[in-house]
Amino acid sequence: MARKVQFVETVLRDANQSLIATRLPYAKFESMLETIDKAGFYAAECWGGATFDVCLRYLHEDPWERLRKIRAKMPNTKLQMLLRGQNVLGYSHYPDDFVKLFVQKAVENGIDVIRIFDALNDVNNLKVAMEATVNAGAIASGTISYTTSPVHTHAKYVEMVKELKEMGASTICIKDMAGIMGPQEAYDLVSAIKDAVDMPIDLHTHSTTGLAFMTYLKAVEAGVDIIDTAISPFSGGTSQPATETLAYALRQLGYEVDIDDAATKAMADYFKGVRDEFIADGTMMPKAMATDTQCLTYQVPGGMLSNLLSQLKQMNALDKFDEALAETPKVRADMGYPPLVTPTSQMVGVQAVRNVLDGQRYKTVSKEIKAYCRGEYGRTPAPIDADIQKMILGDEQPLSGRYADSLEPIVEPTREKLAGIAKSDEDVLSYIAFPNLAEKFFEERKAKEENMATYTIVEA
Ligand code: CO
């Protein structure tokens, strides 16, 4: 019997985030939700990552309401979100009570699958979110942030997978955020994990370097169960490879693919129009759609290269680009080879630029790097260079335990603080995650409601 390969459609989250900075408002995809629901995806990734932040900041949408509306129109497909472990959706660690309530409410509002990752692959940062996901009755997808370094061996990844399984993960995701995983690496890593555990494996990559189709193909040959793809008009470049193309190719190779072609055709026809609007207004830039092999040469994610460029430009030091680029892997090695993903990618990049511009390494250090050296981001893949750590921390001792253990509960005090303003625990959670944005959003919402109330009276 043909082996089945399942698809996660990313147009509503990762493709939206990678190509148009998450600017897709609910109204622009509402009419497609029933079609997406019929297309036969394993899951639709639609929440988490930057969606929460951008909803409040730019789209003037309540992220919770957006999720409930998607849920209502998609009763048959699992809804998936991306969660940054103890960071939830932010860039620093939150107390456990917030992580637990956030996960519980995400599931109550419609999420079925939570993909939980940590920038350092420190399982201690995944524990609370994983447990909360299992307790809420959702699928915990334990995630490896994929990177390459002398200490990131397949044996290490397999060890991590076993720990994730013990924590309650029912699927494993290999998350190649930079699109640097090649076909042979995919084949070898998926085989190694499949040999070690009997669990569904999902591979997530990006088309950035052009490897993705080949990487998926070899991963499928090695037994991967689920791949992440984007409907064609929102595929390619910094997004995922195209859904329809992979469905076509995998079927031709004899795999079972339960994707409804009429539904994906309708989705593609519709999203072409949406894409064209975002091209016309300049939100979708041709650069994001193109193949860029630079990351293969530099082993630095594409997003980091453009950040380096813009930092140097601001400081009128574009001539230092090559030097900063060469310094980046050195800083990464000093810091114990963190995977370069938010927030570590920013921290390492900024430090590399500092080291080059100061003409002296670690003369100036950001407060984030200092916190990182104190252990506030968790256990690093390899030890931080001892001399550099000592130079940065001085007499301060690094943490030995889990940083979140030192944080005071935040939910109850925030409930009290927002009495009369917050209408629900969801509001309280939005406020804890993004206080300024949420406050502004609550004010806007109130003004809108008062306007509508006046309008209703006049009408009556
Ligand atoms: Co991604």
Side-chain angles (χ1 to χ4, degrees):
M1 210 178 79
R3 198 167 63 80
K4 187 165 167 170
V5 180
Q6 292 189 283
F7 289 55
V8 171
E9 171 59 49
T10 67
V11 64
L12 301 181
R13 210 287 299 175
D14 205 349
N16 171 19
Q17 185 169 329
S18 300
L19 294 179
I20 54 167
T22 323
R23 293 302 197 277
L24 197 58
Y26 176 77
K28 279 243 191 297
F29 61 79
E30 181 182 19
S31 64
M32 266 296 117
L33 289 174
E34 277 126 343
T35 309
I36 301 174
D37 194 36
K38 279 195 299 226
F41 297 117
Y42 166 78
E45 191 186 52
C46 64
W47 214 61
T51 56
F52 202 96
D53 180 344
V54 173
C55 273
L56 290 170
R57 196 186 297 267
Y58 299 110
L59 302 177
H60 308 283
E61 285 181 36
D62 181 345
W64 300 97
E65 193 187 330
R66 176 168 164 132
L67 172 58
R68 287 191 295 270
K69 289 196 289 199
I70 297 173
R71 173 81 288 170
K73 291 204 178 250
M74 294 185 63
N76 304 306
T77 306
K78 288 196 271 295
L79 301 184
Q80 179 173 303
M81 78 167 290
L82 181 66
L83 189 106
R84 203 176 286 142
Q86 202 72 25
N87 293 6
V88 184
L89 305 166
Y91 306 106
S92 59
H93 284 201
Y94 288 100
D96 292 341
D97 65 336
F98 171 70
V99 178
K100 287 178 196 167
L101 186 64
F102 193 95
V103 165
Q104 184 198 324
K105 287 290 165 189
V107 175
E108 272 177 33
N109 281 277
I111 289 294
D112 302 287
V113 182
I114 308 191
R115 178 176 287 176
I116 307 166
F117 78 101
D118 176 62
L120 294 178
N121 283 327
D122 180 356
V123 288
N124 286 323
N125 292 337
L126 305 175
K127 215 178 274 173
V128 174
M130 295 275 286
E131 202 178 274
T133 303
V134 174
N135 288 343
I139 294 173
S141 187
T143 301
I144 293 170
S145 300
Y146 176 78
T147 189
T148 53
S149 88
V151 297
H152 286 88
T153 58
H154 287 177
K156 265 265 177 68
Y157 284 132
V158 166
E159 196 184 303
M160 184 181 177
V161 165
K162 287 179 179 164
E163 285 177 293
L164 292 170
K165 189 182 180 186
E166 231 155 79
M167 282 180 183
S170 39
T171 65
I172 294 295
C173 171
I174 306 167
K175 179 177 159 68
D176 173 25
M177 49 276 171
I180 54 164
M181 181 187 275
Q184 190 63 45
E185 290 162 276
Y187 187 86
D188 294 342
L189 182 57
V190 171
S191 303
I193 297 174
K194 276 280 169 189
D195 281 345
V197 293
D198 184 20
M199 290 169 86
I201 303 178
D202 176 314
L203 179 59
H204 174 89
T205 189
H206 288 254
S207 296
T208 325
T209 61
L211 289 170
F213 283 117
M214 295 178 279
T215 302
Y216 276 158
L217 182 57
K218 293 303 281 184
V220 167
E221 284 178 17
V224 100
D225 302 274
I226 306 161
I227 53 177
D228 289 13
T229 62
I231 198 70
S232 52
F234 272 76
S235 73
T238 53
S239 174
Q240 274 73 47
T243 305
E244 308 96 296
T245 313
L246 273 149
Y248 183 93
L250 292 177
R251 260 187 209 131
Q252 192 174 79
L253 289 162
Y255 295 97
E256 183 190 335
V257 174
D258 293 343
I259 298 285
D260 179 337
D261 294 338
T264 50
K265 162 95 171 50
M267 283 170 67
D269 288 347
Y270 177 80
F271 280 107
K272 263 178 206 161
V274 176
R275 175 192 62 189
D276 292 348
E277 284 175 45
F278 282 106
I279 289 174
D281 74 7
T283 310
M284 192 186 277
M285 286 180 283
K287 218 174 61 185
M289 305 293 285
T291 303
D292 185 343
T293 55
Q294 262 191 323
C295 340
L296 297 178
T297 317
Y298 301 120
Q299 295 289 315
V300 163
M304 259 186 96
L305 288 173
S306 40
N307 279 347
L308 281 183
L309 272 174
S310 69
Q311 270 185 68
L312 290 169
K313 203 167 162 190
Q314 267 174 24
M315 295 170 184
N316 258 328
L318 270 179
D319 57 317
K320 301 273 192 212
F321 182 67
D322 287 340
E323 238 178 295
L325 201 54
E327 175 65 6
T328 302
K330 290 181 194 158
V331 172
R332 181 176 178 235
D334 295 340
M335 293 297 121
Y337 295 106
L340 296 175
V341 59
T342 309
T344 45
S345 50
Q346 287 87 337
M347 284 155 54
V348 167
V350 168
Q351 191 61 49
V353 169
R354 277 293 16 128
N355 288 357
V356 166
L357 293 187
D358 288 346
Q360 186 188 333
R361 307 188 76 220
Y362 302 101
K363 186 180 170 201
T364 34
V365 168
S366 66
K367 70 176 200 303
E368 288 81 11
I369 284 281
K370 204 164 176 192
Y372 176 95
C373 287
R374 253 191 319 256
E376 290 183 18
Y377 289 84
R379 203 172 49 197
T380 54
I384 299 170
D385 181 286
D387 293 337
I388 290 166
Q389 189 175 26
K390 181 93 184 80
M391 186 166 80
I392 291 172
L393 291 184
D395 291 333
E396 242 182 295
Q397 283 304 309
L399 281 170
S400 52
R402 198 179 66 113
Y403 175 60
D405 288 336
S406 69
L407 302 173
E408 294 294 326
I410 195 173
V411 172
E412 202 44 54
T414 312
R415 275 190 190 125
E416 279 161 28
K417 183 179 168 186
L418 295 182
I421 300 166
K423 292 182 169 183
S424 61
D425 270 353
E426 283 81 348
D427 279 355
V428 172
L429 293 167
S430 299
Y431 182 87
I432 295 170
F434 300 102
N436 300 332
L437 296 179
E439 206 167 357
K440 219 176 123 234
F441 177 80
F442 298 152
E443 278 162 22
E444 282 170 12
R445 182 174 65 185
K446 197 166 166 225
K448 217 154 113 197
E449 280 165 2
E450 280 167 4
N451 269 342
M452 271 166 66
T454 325
Y455 185 70
T456 317
I457 292 161
V458 173
E459 277 290 278

